[in-house]
Amino acid sequence: MTEDVLIKVGMADLNIAACGAVLRTMGLGSCVGLTLYDPLINLGGMAHIMLPSSEIARDGHLNAAKYADTAIPALLKLMTNHGAAASRLAAKLAGGAQMFALASGGDSMRIGPRNVEAVKLALEKFGIPIAAEDTGGRYGRTVELDTGSGVYSIRSVQYGVKEI
Amino acid sequence: MNLFLSDPDFKMDVLREVGNIGAGHAATALSQLLGKPVDMKVPTVSFLPFEDIAERLGGVETVVVAIFLRVEGDAPGNMFFILKREPARRLLQGLPCLEAAGSEDYSELELSALNEIGNILAGSYLSSLADFTGLHMSPTVPAIAVDMAGAILNYGLLQFGTMGDDALLIDTAFLEGPNQMEGHFFLIPDPESFEKLFSALGVPL
């Protein structure tokens, strides 16, 4: 199949790709870049999750990809519709940083760690194991999932490229 | 936002003026700090998808120096003073009291100096805005980060995140003489703050 196909996933967006195509999302700060991967059919999915819970949504039409509790079922459904088996899926996640250390923090300042917690909770609910993660810290990340190998590479300004 | 259904052009004009007054005072403060003239561009006010806001700075992955403050009080919001690396370096070199190193990384002292510059500028931006509107607005202690523009701006957009996929941004760019030192002041009021701003300024809702 086609090599070197790059599929961009925007902020509060999700998408899937297969057979060697690369899914990429750029500039993750407090957002979480969640990927699910089915190694048998080389199908990968990625969501750029911005907020922990859709309960706080006030927009008329809910963007499922934006919230941890809605993005994971949406991505799962999309992938099973394309032949993935939920039992074969494993998750990798990156992001959830705390970009600024403010003295007068409030809860919104801890949004990165809260996103990570919410993603893990949702994965547990659907029984999806976490294969690897690179979360937290105080730096931004650009991430790519290679659907040929399932390798998740994470690039940051300070630390260069890391593969998980 | 429903607030912008009636007379949107006029409301955008009002917000542009808000940016003009705030940034005008901040530019004066910067000019005093550097001991040379600083120009500013006419502010732009726009409803932008989250992704496009980082495009203003050259793309999601462009490395920028950002000083972030949360605005507290009657009309809360987020404020960023953002510089690309080169202009940030020049800004440091322009400070009489600091021996700026030429290296890629910033020393603690340099980061602290940039943070303080952001603090001074944001303070003058907000105090002029508070005077003008009669609203109480005060900045939190600033925090600084050097990282990808997308990752940094994520933060300022969370309040909008619960409402939709666009944010309203008041953007003012600075220029310093022929050096073209370009800095951006982003004011991103929380969605709830617009009503307060408009009623304080006597704009019919």
Side-chain angles (χ1 to χ4, degrees), chain B residues 93-111:
Chain B
Q93 284 162 350
L95 292 176
C97 50
L98 193 80
E99 193 77 36
S103 68
E104 269 281 286
D105 292 323
Y106 297 91
S107 67
E108 282 286 317
L109 187 66
E110 287 170 327
L111 286 177

Side-chain angles (χ1 to χ4, degrees), chain B residues 104-133:
Chain B
E104 269 281 286
D105 292 323
Y106 297 91
S107 67
E108 282 286 317
L109 187 66
E110 287 170 327
L111 286 177
S112 166
L114 286 170
N115 206 8
E116 188 50 29
I117 290 171
N119 194 22
I120 292 168
L121 301 190
S124 54
Y125 192 119
L126 285 177
S127 61
S128 66
L129 210 55
D131 286 349
F132 173 61
T133 56

Side-chain angles (χ1 to χ4, degrees), chain A residues 2-24:
Chain A
T2 33
E3 285 281 331
D4 296 316
V5 177
L6 179 70
I7 296 165
K8 282 189 187 173
V9 178
M11 202 168 160
D13 187 15
L14 59 80
N15 213 335
I16 57 168
C19 304
V22 170
L23 283 160
R24 175 197 282 170

